[in-house]
Amino acid sequence: MSELEQVPDELASLFAAERAAPVVDAAARTAAKARMVAAVAHVPLGTAGAAGAATTLAGSGKVIAILALTLGVGAGTIALVKHADRTA
């Protein structure tokens, strides 16, 4: 599809729906972010201020540590398998 071609009807309807969608205000966006952080980091929604920030950082730290450990174990396993293939 080039810029000169007409947009397919399905895509045109998606563009129209996006233009007609209500604009999300900052309060709704902040509330959605708070719910997401609470779900991912297991932080209660009622925590606020420095204590809430510290809890959020601790929860985020846990998530990052688990991801790093998972990636490290996965990379180690791949390295061992490749090494075993070369020596066999």
Side-chain angles (χ1 to χ4, degrees):
M1 185 164 104
S2 73
E3 293 180 16
L4 301 177
E5 292 180 35
Q6 186 175 358
V7 176
D9 291 338
E10 296 87 13
L11 191 56
S13 65
L14 284 175
F15 288 152
E18 186 176 341
R19 277 188 234 104
V23 177
V24 179
D25 63 343
R29 187 170 299 183
T30 303
K33 284 182 183 178
R35 286 192 302 271
M36 183 186 69
V37 167
V40 171
H42 303 290
V43 177
L45 284 175
T47 59
T55 306
T56 302
L57 286 175
S60 299
K62 279 193 258 183
V63 170
I64 291 170
I66 290 170
L67 286 172
L69 181 63
T70 304
L71 290 174
V73 168
T77 304
I78 291 170
L80 285 173
V81 168
K82 285 187 176 185
H83 179 69
D85 287 344
R86 283 189 214 140
T87 57

